[in-house]
Each structure stands twice: as structure tokens, then as C-alpha cells.
Amino acid sequence: MVFGARVWKTGIAVALALYISAWLNFTPPVIAAVAAIFAMQPSIYRSWRYFLEQLQTNILGAALALLAGMFFSNNVIAIGIVCIIVIIISLRMRMEETIGLTLVTVVAVMEASGEWEFALNRLLLSLIGIGCAFVVNIFFFPPKPKEQFAAQIQTIFSKMSLLLRTVISNEMKETVFREEKESLRSSLKSLSDKYRLMEEETKKLKGKGNGFGRIRELVVYKQKLLVMYKGLEVLEAVDEHYFQAARTEAIDDYFDQHMEKLIKFHEHVLLKFDDKLKDDLTEGLEMEAENERFMTVLIERYTKQPEGLLRLSIVAAAMYDYGHQVARLDKLVEHDNRGENEEREPLEILLKGIRLK
């Protein structure tokens, strides 16, 4: 488990909610603490959206609970029915994330048995917790999905490049390889979540700095993520097909050398994006041509002697696709570095063809 900023912020929000509840003499303060725990979100946009949605559903839930409490007191069956109604309404409003905390408010309010002052106290406790989480999330270590994505992708690439460099030569122990591959898969899922947070903030927050430059950069980040998934597909193809195919030492060397070229090219593209290497237009063109030659040689061999080469062609296709997507990333990085005006296309066009897992 990683003890990140969100862990600390949750603790601070809970403590703040308890302190404010005690200062205002609202009881029981545990309701505010529970609300603060539920309301902590991984991005500023989601914090703001969650705050507004909770405000709506909590007021609605409290009103229904107060009305039901006047007629049915704190009857357990009535509480259950009101909870069902609140869940249905929240789903219809497309505010599924608010259901848990709203139900806490409903149950707490229905304990009041129709006493509006008591019910108001419970509602305010929930709002205090939500507000504390919102404020803490903004002012204490505010979420930075872009920086987190950039740092995480470097770590994941180091892990993936090691696996790709050793997969053809079969140097790594099988148990270690499988563990590392599953770890890579899990890391890529986490990276996808980071990207979606970053994409969400870029599209939804329209403040300063959300111009075309950020959108163009977002396209590059999405392609970087796609390339990582293509590297994982190469690992899967080698694991499933390569060692079961009939091959010679010369074929092993051929595949291994091309894999090394692809990884080195991928590494250079990432360094260019970080502005650590000079832009080199020829490298991308040469690598595309080399990738084409690699696939052409395999197709010609398969045409002449298909027996035993079918599985190798699957691996070759995965490697070719990986190289093709790295070359596409290289072009996007070049355009991003130059900031060319002709690339000013709508986000939907730029993102066309880039699909995430």
C-alpha cells in the first residue's frame, strides 16, 4: 500500500470536521467524520462535482426522511422504503456516487421522528463533513494528475522495457516474468485512471491554461498510454506463441535485435517529450522503414514456407503494431514541441483511433 497525499488529506478532513462539529455543538460529530471520508476525491474537478451533487441529494434525502418521519416516526420498514426511494431518485439523477452518504443522512434524519430541528442538525453535520473534504482537497496538497501521470509512466516504462528486452532471450525466470507482467498490467490500469482524471479536468475545467496547448498535450499523453498497452500486447503474444513455434537461433537473434531497436526508439521518444533529447526527424522515418522491413521479411518467409511460421507471424504483428504506435507518438511529440498551428484540430479528431483498454 502507498501512503500518498490522499491518505493524509482524509485524516485532516476528518479531524477538521470533528473539530468544527464540536465547536458548533452539533452532535453526534461522527456523522460529519463519515461524510468527510466519503467526500474525499482524487481530483479538484471531481471534488467540486461531488460537493454539488451531495448538496442536492442530501437536501432531497433529508426532506424525504423528515416528511416520512412525521408520518411513520422511526419505523424500520419506513426507513428501508425511504432508502429505496432515495436510491432510485439518485440513479435517475445520475448521481450514483452520492448514494452512500445520502443514505447515512436519511437514516440519521429519520431518527428524529419528524422533529425538524433535530433533522436539520443531522443534515448540517453531513454538509460540514462534505465541505471540510472539499476545502482540504483544494488547499492541502491539491491533486495533480498530470504530474502523477508523468512520474508513473517513467516507472512503468522501466519495468516494461526490462521485460521486453529479456522476453525473447528467455533470460528471466518464468515465475518472476509472470509476476512482473501482472504487476505491469495492474500499473497500466492505475495509469489509465490517472489519464482519465487528467482528461476530465482538461475538458471540464475551462479556466486559465485549458487552451489548445493543453488539449494537444493531452493527445500526446493518451498516445503514450496506448503505446504502453501495445508493449504489454507484445509480451502477451511472445508468452502465448513465440516459444511454441518452430524457430532457429537466427530467428531468435532477428526478433531480439528488432525488439531492442523498438525499445530504444520508444525510450528516445519519451526523452524527447521531456525535452532531454534534440528533435530528430530522421530517426522516426528510419524506424518506420525498419519496422516495415521487419514485417515484410516475416510475410515473405510465411508465403514461401507457412509451416511453423504462423505463430511467429502473430508475434511479429504485435511487434510491428507496437513500433507503428511508437512512431505515431514520435510525430505527436514533434508537433507538440513545435506547437504547429496546422495541428489545431478538434479534440475528437485528434483522439480518433486512440483507444484505451
Side-chain angles (χ1 to χ4, degrees), residues 65 68-75 78-79 110-114:
M70 291 179 179
F71 292 97
F72 304 105
S73 185
N74 56 359
N75 181 276
I79 294 174
M110 288 201 71
E111 283 184 342
S113 303

Side-chain angles (χ1 to χ4, degrees), residues 37 82 103 112 122 132 146 166 168 182 188 237 267 286 317 321 335 342 346 349:
I37 295 171
V82 173
L103 293 182
R122 294 295 192 265
C132 288
K146 176 183 171 182
T166 57
I168 298 293
E182 288 307 311
L188 284 175
E267 184 178 23
E286 290 172 359
D321 194 23
H335 293 160
E342 61 267 22
I349 296 176

Side-chain angles (χ1 to χ4, degrees), residues 36-264:
I37 295 171
F38 273 98
M40 189 57 64
Q41 296 295 307
S43 72
I44 292 176
Y45 167 73
R46 286 194 181 182
S47 292
W48 174 243
R49 187 187 69 183
Y50 191 81
F51 177 77
L52 293 179
E53 290 180 353
Q54 283 289 1
L55 193 62
Q56 297 175 62
T57 56
N58 269 267
I59 291 175
L60 177 63
L64 290 174
L66 181 61
L67 185 64
M70 291 179 179
F71 292 97
F72 304 105
S73 185
N74 56 359
N75 181 276
V76 293
I77 296 178
I79 294 174
I81 293 173
V82 173
C83 286
I84 293 173
I85 294 173
V86 169
I87 292 173
I88 293 173
I89 294 174
S90 297
L91 291 174
R92 294 286 294 180
M93 294 173 66
R94 296 183 178 179
M95 297 181 180
E96 298 87 349
E97 294 181 2
T98 67
I99 290 175
L101 185 52
T102 303
L103 293 182
V104 171
T105 302
V106 168
V107 174
V109 169
M110 288 201 71
E111 283 184 342
S113 303
E115 298 179 18
W116 71 270
E117 290 139 337
F118 193 71
L120 181 62
N121 175 277
R122 294 295 192 265
L123 174 62
L124 289 176
L125 280 168
S126 294
L127 295 181
I128 286 171
I130 298 168
C132 288
F134 177 66
V135 171
V136 168
N137 203 29
I138 291 177
F139 293 103
F140 290 85
F141 310 108
K144 297 179 179 178
K146 176 183 171 182
E147 287 76 3
Q148 293 170 347
F149 182 94
Q152 197 171 347
I153 205 166
Q154 291 296 336
T155 303
I156 294 175
F157 175 73
S158 297
K159 182 184 298 184
M160 189 184 77
S161 63
L162 175 63
L163 290 172
L164 288 173
R165 282 189 165 104
T166 57
V167 67
I168 298 293
S169 57
N170 200 21
E171 296 172 274
M172 191 175 289
K173 292 182 179 179
E174 186 174 344
T175 54
V176 176
F177 172 78
R178 296 195 183 281
E179 288 174 3
E180 290 296 320
K181 189 176 70 172
E182 288 307 311
S183 175
L184 176 63
R185 193 193 309 277
S186 177
S187 297
L188 284 175
K189 184 179 182 302
S190 174
L191 191 66
S192 297
D193 294 337
K194 288 285 190 306
Y195 171 79
R196 290 187 178 94
L197 288 175
M198 184 170 56
E199 181 183 45
E200 192 175 59
E201 289 202 339
T202 301
K203 289 181 177 180
K204 302 295 183 181
L205 299 181
K206 302 298 183 182
K208 183 179 179 181
N210 280 287
F212 174 75
R214 287 196 64 185
I215 294 176
R216 189 177 60 232
E217 191 177 59
L218 185 67
V219 175
V220 178
Y221 279 128
K222 190 166 190 177
Q223 182 66 17
K224 287 170 78 172
L225 180 56
L226 176 63
V227 169
M228 291 294 184
Y229 272 110
K230 292 300 179 181
L232 179 62
E233 288 179 10
V234 173
L235 291 172
E236 296 283 10
V238 173
D239 191 32
E240 289 290 329
H241 300 285
Y242 189 80
F243 299 107
Q244 290 78 17
R247 61 192 204 284
T248 63
E249 186 175 339
I251 290 178
D252 286 344
D253 290 340
Y254 187 61
F255 272 79
D256 202 22
Q257 288 173 15
H258 188 65
M259 184 79 80
E260 180 63 34
K261 292 176 184 177
L262 292 177
I263 299 165
K264 187 177 180 181

Side-chain angles (χ1 to χ4, degrees), residues 261-305:
K261 292 176 184 177
L262 292 177
I263 299 165
K264 187 177 180 181
F265 180 46
H266 189 178
E267 184 178 23
H268 283 184
V269 174
L270 295 179
L271 289 172
K272 277 195 286 187
F273 181 77
D274 293 334
D275 204 22
K276 295 179 180 179
L277 284 184
K278 297 178 182 178
D279 289 342
D280 185 0
L281 298 174
T282 60
E283 183 183 23
L285 296 174
E286 290 172 359
M287 196 60 233
E288 282 189 276
E290 181 67 27
N291 204 34
E292 291 284 348
R293 281 194 296 272
F294 171 76
M295 197 63 203
T296 302
V297 168
L298 263 295
I299 292 173
E300 289 175 352
R301 288 187 180 183
Y302 178 77
T303 304
K304 294 176 181 178
Q305 188 180 358

